[in-house]
Structures are given as structure tokens and as C-alpha cells.
Amino acid sequence: MIKNDYTIRITQKEDYLPTEIIVRQAFLKKDKPVCLEHYLLNQLRKNDDFIHELDFVMEKDGRIIGQNVFVKANIKADDGRDIPVLTMGPISIVPDLQRQGYGKAILDYSLEKAAEMGFGAVCIAGNIKFYQHSGFKYASEMGIRYHGLPEGASAAFFLCKELKNGFLDGVTGEYATPQCYFVTQEDTDRYDKDFPAAAE
Ligand SMILES: CC(C)(COP(=O)(O)OP(=O)(O)OC[C@H]1O[C@@H](n2cnc3c(N)ncnc32)[C@H](O)[C@@H]1OP(=O)(O)O)[C@@H](O)C(=O)NCCC(=O)NCCS
């Protein structure tokens, strides 16, 4: 179980490359030998909707072991309103320290900071098995649909959490992952040509 042997702080510019490296290490799996997420993080940090005040690194014994980031997003409500929400990620913990509670710790901390900044809800694509421990639910249970999902396709990947109680009361509508999340393999391959081998 997690001990209090870590610190979480706002990411500085000098942390950008080290955090991309750990994202790549975390997301590269034996059964999934390609990774876009480190390049995605690089691109998100240049986007106007990226929230630098919610860009976090986790450190243990002077080493960066985890990170999480947030981006402004939107629900198109069925009554015509635009409901401002957040989306989140990539979030990662270095492979050798996964499943020891660090992921939940940085997630809970960063959600608390997002709530303190006044944001009302977070919508993400993710695995309920991890996110349910931090209060995420299937977005479909909250009346929020995922844009472009074919009829009959499972929306089990699409999760939501209110940061303000009741923020989504009376809201039904559609959420689309912000365009800035759609990076291509081709652009990532180009970026990887100069990416440090340390990330392998
Ligand atoms: C996902 C990730 C951030 C979780 O961080 P973590 O420190 O490994 O997870 P925690 O130890 O805090 O997990 C808390 C609980 O969430 C659940 N959980 C976490 N990762 C899980 C997984 N991959 N599959 C199923 N359940 C998971 C478990 O119930 C876990 O408790 P347990 O280990 O006692 O069973 C981390 O594993 C990671 O970096 N993975 C690779 C990158 C990634 O997939 N990022 C998320 C994309 S949506």
C-alpha cells in the first residue's frame, strides 16, 4: 500500500522531456509496442486549452515517477448550452512502481486541485477499473454520450466525474475528445527520430 514517500508539484519546463520519457516507458507494453502518448503530451503542452496550473509531476527519492495533465473540453448539451468541463491525461506511473497506489495518489491530488480552481467535471476515455477508485462513473449513467460512437458500440471506456456536486444535474448531451488529442503515428515517428533512447 502507498506510504507518504512522494511529493507532487507543478511541472517546470525542465521536466517536460523527463515526463515525456516516463510516459513513453509507461505506455509502451509488450503487447503494444507503439506509443503516441509521449508525443501527445509534447503537443498538448503547446495548446491554448492546456492548463499549465494542472500539469503535475510526482517525485520519489529525487526521481520523477509519475505525471498527470488536464485540458479544457466541452459538453454540447442537448438544450444548446456549451458546458465547460475538463479532460485529463496522459497520466502515468513508471513501470517499476505501478500498482502500488501512486497512480491513485497523483490522480486524487490533481482532481482536488482542479476542483479548487473551480472546474465542475472531468470527462475521459479510460479504464473504469482504475478510475472508479477516484469517483469516476460511466458517463452514460450521467446522461453524457460520446461523440461519433456507432449505434450499439460499447461506451464503457467513456467516464465522467463531477468535481462540484450537482454540476451536471439536468445536463444531457454529447462530449467529444478535443481535437488536440488526435496525434498521428506519422508525426510521432518523425518526433521519435530525435527522442532519447533512455525512453526505451
Ligand atoms: C494506469 C496507471 C496510471 C495507474 O497507476 P498505478 O500506480 O499503477 O495504479 P494504483 O496502484 O494507484 O491502482 C489503484 C487501483 O486501481 C486499479 N488499477 C490500476 N491499474 C489497473 C489496471 N491496469 N487494470 C486494472 N485495474 C487497475 C486496481 O484496483 C488498483 O488497486 P490494486 O493494485 O490494489 O488492485 C499506471 O498503471 C500506468 O501508468 N499505466 C500505464 C499507462 C496508462 O495506461 N495510463 C492510463 C491511461 S487511461
Side-chain angles (χ1 to χ4, degrees):
M1 223 19 243
I2 189 90
K3 297 179 288 289
N4 209 351
D5 61 352
Y6 60 85
T7 54
I8 300 171
R9 62 171 175 79
I10 297 284
T11 303
Q12 305 298 311
K13 284 222 160 57
E14 56 270 27
D15 304 314
Y16 281 8
L17 183 58
T19 47
E20 288 176 34
I21 289 173
I22 70 154
V23 165
R24 189 152 190 268
Q25 289 169 341
F27 276 85
L28 267 184
K29 307 255 163 67
K30 282 200 189 82
D31 59 342
K32 185 186 145 288
V34 288
C35 174
L36 303 179
E37 285 82 358
H38 60 300
Y39 176 62
L40 169 63
L41 178 58
N42 176 275
Q43 294 299 294
L44 289 179
R45 283 180 169 140
K46 297 174 188 167
N47 193 281
D48 286 346
D49 289 331
F50 185 84
I51 306 172
H52 291 276
E53 298 88 339
L54 294 175
D55 179 351
F56 296 106
V57 285
M58 181 178 235
E59 285 181 314
K60 173 175 153 53
D61 304 327
R63 170 193 180 204
I64 292 180
I65 65 155
Q67 57 68 232
N68 191 24
V69 298
F70 291 80
V71 172
K72 288 180 192 160
N74 197 42
I75 293 172
K76 282 245 165 267
D78 295 331
D79 62 9
R81 284 180 295 161
D82 276 327
I83 312 285
V85 293
L86 292 176
T87 190
M88 200 187 73
I91 176 172
S92 64
I93 296 295
V94 287
D96 59 300
L97 291 174
Q98 287 176 8
R99 301 301 286 263
Q100 296 177 41
Y102 293 108
K104 181 176 177 346
I106 191 169
L107 176 60
D108 288 347
Y109 178 90
S110 54
L111 289 169
E112 203 180 295
K113 293 294 162 195
E116 281 172 16
M117 280 180 75
F119 291 103
V122 187
C123 292
I124 52 167
N127 184 344
I128 190 84
K129 289 185 180 156
F130 171 56
Y131 291 104
Q132 66 186 349
H133 301 292
S134 298
F136 281 85
K137 296 185 180 145
Y138 294 119
S140 57
E141 290 173 9
M142 300 166 80
I144 314 299
R145 306 178 302 278
Y146 191 80
H147 174 77
L149 203 63
E151 191 72 30
S154 169
F157 67 90
F158 178 39
L159 313 177
C160 185
K161 175 186 163 76
E162 281 186 344
L163 298 174
K164 269 187 208 158
N165 271 342
F167 182 74
L168 293 175
D169 281 0
V171 175
T172 62
E174 197 169 87
Y175 166 87
T177 299
Q179 270 309 313
C180 55
Y181 272 84
F182 295 94
V183 298
T184 66
Q185 183 70 57
E186 199 185 3
D187 287 344
T188 308
D189 288 345
R190 202 170 304 123
Y191 184 67
D192 279 353
K193 290 201 173 105
D194 294 320
F195 201 74
E200 296 299 330

